[in-house]
Amino acid sequence: MNGKNAWNTYDEDDLSKLEQLAAAYKEFLNQGKTERECVTFVAGEAEKEGFIDLAQAIRENRKLQAGERVYYSNMGKTLFLAVLGQRPMEEGLKIIGAHIDSPRLDLKQNPLYEEAGLAYLDTHYYGGIKKYQWVALPLALHGTVAKRDGSVITVSIGEKEEEPVFGVTDLLPHIAQNQMMKKANVVIEGEELDLMIGSRPIQDCDEEETEKGTARAAETAQAAEVLQSDSKEAKKAAEKRKSRKKNPVRAAILDILKEKYGIDEEDLMAAELEAVPAGQAREYGLDQSMIMAYGQDDRVCSYPAFRALSEMGTPDRTCVCLLVDKEEIGSVGATSMQSRFFENAVAELMDRCGQYSELALRRCLSHSRFLSADVSSAFDPTFAAEFDKNNAAFLGNGIAFNKYSGSRGKAGANDANAEYLAAVMSMFDSSGVTYQAAEYGKVDHGGGGTISYILAEYGMESVDCGVPVLSMHAPWEVVSKADLYEALKAYTAFYQKA
């Protein structure tokens, strides 16, 4: 069943399209290393394809009709895109949903500290990672700093050749005997995943800068005079000088943040800064048949899902692409699939089309069909003992169906109806899509979850269908270009025929 290699089905035209898709996909990966960056990138591409902001249509009380294209952003981290169909939305939507968050290291709210003449940023890892994989490799900082005056600073440091990178240090093997005796999950522990970001102290840590001696002395005298009058400001200034002298490297980092990026230490409390692997998506393998990059779970599904929607004409039923946040931590929070954003977006869309009522919305959701476009684990011969080879996804064998996910006795899974899975397989057959069936691994050896069950709770048909990935959740993941291409073909077929 899983023995058909997609590469053997391609002609020259297919190979040309495959390489074009792979090049565009790598650009998406390079531009979108965080959920915010993914939303910004896709929304920008959508506007080029004629999509309009649904929020603006709502403000303008603009009516929408079949063939129009809209997108709707939720806090800049989740994106709803739709191409309006000819039939009433009450009859159901065709929905493909993927997530755009990936495992990473998030900065804590009070992250900056100095130890032994080195400056660090304290982190809290996000999602399921093998912590030992995140040491001794170059990391970049991406994210958003929201200041109290309402302004927002976008941060990206470490991706350009001229920019510095950061990292988590590891213990040299010569003195690591005790470390090497630990279990893999505690070889590196969560509190040890701190980024080293500096080692150079400020110039005036021990004595006044000679070129500024006079000015500095006057300032000190003035501060001392105010201090004698028991001024709170003077005390604060004195404490700051004491802190800078005690932690001169930390002080130097704060000066750099202020001078180069306009960021004060207090701003870090409200920041969303993520440490991710520094570097570009690369061709993988001598035959250049694969792509290695950070964050391909689940961007390898989210990109072809968007591409399939953007290339649609006017469909019979309204087609929707969902790109959501927070899947890696259980789909919780305001920007996750469990929030009411999706439901609210559908209601707003129906209202713009003059089709909204509470009953019509309920019918729309229950009559919809959903593909949960999430990755599957690819069979790895190095770790063959962890897989059921007869029910594993193989690199290059096309997009993979996971009829159910979950762990142990299918806990937390959506188990798709046989009739629905057969219907989707029929769509793929008639469109020449190469596909396979898969599970995450052997029974009781682990498992995983997706957003599939969340939309199934509306009563709609739902199944997982995504690209196999090697080294999933590692800093650098690997996929086959052929599977990426088959994903685009599969998602296009679903939008056309579901």
Side-chain angles (χ1 to χ4, degrees):
M1 181 64 188
N2 287 355
K4 185 178 179 181
N5 192 297
W7 289 102
N8 295 328
T9 69
Y10 297 151
D11 57 22
E12 289 300 320
D13 184 56
D14 284 315
L15 292 173
S16 176
K17 291 177 180 177
L18 178 150
E19 292 297 345
Q20 290 175 20
L21 174 64
Y25 169 60
K26 286 188 294 181
E27 180 62 22
F28 166 65
L29 290 173
N30 294 336
Q31 296 296 322
K33 286 198 169 183
T34 70
E35 64 284 0
R36 285 182 184 266
E37 291 174 349
C38 287
V39 167
T40 299
F41 180 91
V42 173
E45 292 297 302
E47 288 183 347
K48 296 176 186 177
E49 298 291 338
F51 286 75
I52 64 170
D53 189 347
L54 180 59
Q56 183 176 347
I58 294 169
R59 289 193 298 269
E60 296 173 353
N61 198 28
R62 174 178 169 180
K63 295 300 179 182
L64 301 173
Q65 57 188 359
E68 293 201 76
R69 301 162 164 234
V70 299
Y71 71 88
Y72 199 31
S73 173
N74 179 21
M75 302 183 186
K77 299 181 183 180
T78 296
L79 199 61
F80 172 101
L81 304 108
V83 178
L84 296 177
Q86 296 171 335
R87 296 165 66 174
M89 278 183 276
E90 184 176 343
E91 296 182 18
L93 314 173
K94 295 184 277 191
I95 309 166
I96 300 177
H99 67 90
I100 48 177
D101 61 317
S102 293
R104 61 187 188 247
L105 305 181
D106 285 345
L107 265 58
K108 292 184 179 180
Q109 287 185 277
N110 295 305
L112 183 60
Y113 70 95
E114 180 177 336
E115 183 66 37
L118 300 171
Y120 292 89
L121 291 173
D122 201 358
T123 74
H124 192 140
Y125 65 92
Y126 173 97
I129 67 171
K130 292 179 176 178
K131 294 183 282 291
Y132 63 81
Q133 293 179 331
W134 286 76
V135 301
L137 77 163
L139 299 174
L141 272 179
H142 290 244
T144 298
V145 178
K147 298 177 73 69
R148 283 163 291 181
D149 62 6
S151 62
V152 174
I153 299 171
T154 299
V155 175
S156 176
I157 310 170
E159 299 296 350
K160 298 177 182 177
E161 285 293 325
E162 64 271 20
E163 292 176 341
V165 294
F166 316 96
V168 179
T169 56
D170 196 7
L171 188 62
L172 64 161
H174 309 70
I175 58 172
Q177 292 184 27
N178 290 337
Q179 182 194 47
M180 298 299 287
M181 293 174 64
K182 295 180 180 180
K183 291 184 177 180
N185 65 335
V186 292
V187 168
I188 297 293
E189 301 199 38
E191 286 293 352
E192 295 171 337
L193 290 174
D194 290 353
L195 302 184
M196 189 168 69
I197 61 164
S199 64
R200 182 177 177 177
I202 52 173
Q203 287 185 332
D204 60 346
C205 57
D206 295 319
E207 58 186 16
E208 303 298 333
E209 296 175 61
T210 55
E211 66 273 18
K212 296 182 179 179
T214 303
R216 183 77 66 185
E219 180 183 332
T220 303
Q222 183 180 8
E225 183 179 333
V226 180
L227 180 61
Q228 290 175 356
S229 66
D230 203 28
S231 164
K232 291 182 180 180
E233 289 78 9
K235 286 183 178 179
K236 187 176 180 180
E239 289 172 0
K240 183 177 180 179
R241 289 195 302 275
K242 183 178 179 181
S243 175
R244 287 173 66 84
K245 187 172 183 179
K246 183 178 180 181
N247 299 291
V249 180
R250 180 180 183 276
I253 294 297
L254 286 172
D255 288 347
I256 292 171
L257 289 174
K258 179 65 174 178
E259 293 166 12
K260 293 190 70 173
Y261 306 104
I263 299 171
D264 294 315
E265 183 174 12
E266 293 81 3
D267 298 330
L268 296 175
M269 187 177 294
E272 292 179 1
L273 293 173
E274 306 172 10
V276 301
Q280 306 293 289
R282 299 288 298 274
E283 303 278 310
Y284 194 81
L286 266 180
D287 57 2
Q288 298 180 289
S289 62
M290 296 167 282
I291 295 170
M292 181 188 74
Y294 163 71
Q296 298 199 77
D297 173 13
D298 184 34
R299 293 165 193 154
V300 71
C301 295
S302 60
Y303 184 73
F306 163 66
R307 280 285 299 271
L309 184 74
S310 67
E311 293 170 4
M312 286 289 296
T314 301
D316 56 345
R317 296 174 187 249
T318 295
C319 295
V320 172
C321 175
L322 285 172
L323 304 179
V324 300
D325 183 26
K326 297 294 185 285
E327 191 275 343
E328 295 293 1
I329 58 170
S331 293
V332 293
T335 57
S336 75
M337 193 66 248
Q338 289 201 80
S339 75
R340 297 292 289 271
F341 168 71
F342 163 68
E343 185 178 330
N344 293 342
V346 174
E348 293 283 8
L349 191 60
M350 294 180 74
D351 182 61
R352 290 300 90 211
C353 296
Q355 299 178 22
Y356 176 78
S357 73
E358 183 64 18
L359 181 57
L361 174 62
R362 297 300 146 199
R363 287 173 176 167
C364 170
L365 296 173
S366 65
H367 293 160
S368 294
R369 284 181 157 184
F370 178 56
L371 277 189
S372 173
D374 207 342
V375 297
S376 184
S377 57
F379 179 81
D380 190 334
T382 305
F383 306 102
E386 301 304 318
F387 295 87
D388 171 6
K389 198 170 182 179
N390 290 331
N391 290 281
F394 291 82
L395 224 63
N397 282 20
I399 198 161
F401 283 110
N402 284 76
K403 185 177 183 295
Y404 49 82
S405 55
S407 57
R408 299 177 302 280
K410 299 185 181 180
N414 170 65
D415 199 344
N417 289 346
E419 295 87 347
Y420 179 53
L421 182 52
V424 178
M425 290 167 62
S426 178
M427 298 173 207
F428 290 0
D429 287 336
S430 63
S431 299
V433 177
T434 302
Y435 60 88
Q436 53 187 319
E439 292 187 14
Y440 275 100
K442 284 185 175 179
V443 176
D444 290 335
H445 280 223
T450 69
I451 64 173
S452 185
Y453 76 95
I454 300 171
L455 278 90
E457 290 179 350
Y458 288 111
M460 69 177 71
E461 298 278 20
S462 175
V463 67
D464 286 297
C465 183
V467 173
V469 177
L470 282 171
S471 301
M472 191 189 299
H473 281 214
W476 299 100
E477 300 168 319
V478 176
V479 303
S480 168
K481 291 180 180 178
D483 297 331
L484 170 68
Y485 184 54
E486 294 302 315
L488 177 59
K489 290 165 59 179
Y491 299 153
T492 300
F494 179 80
Y495 280 138
Q496 291 174 344
K497 300 179 179 182

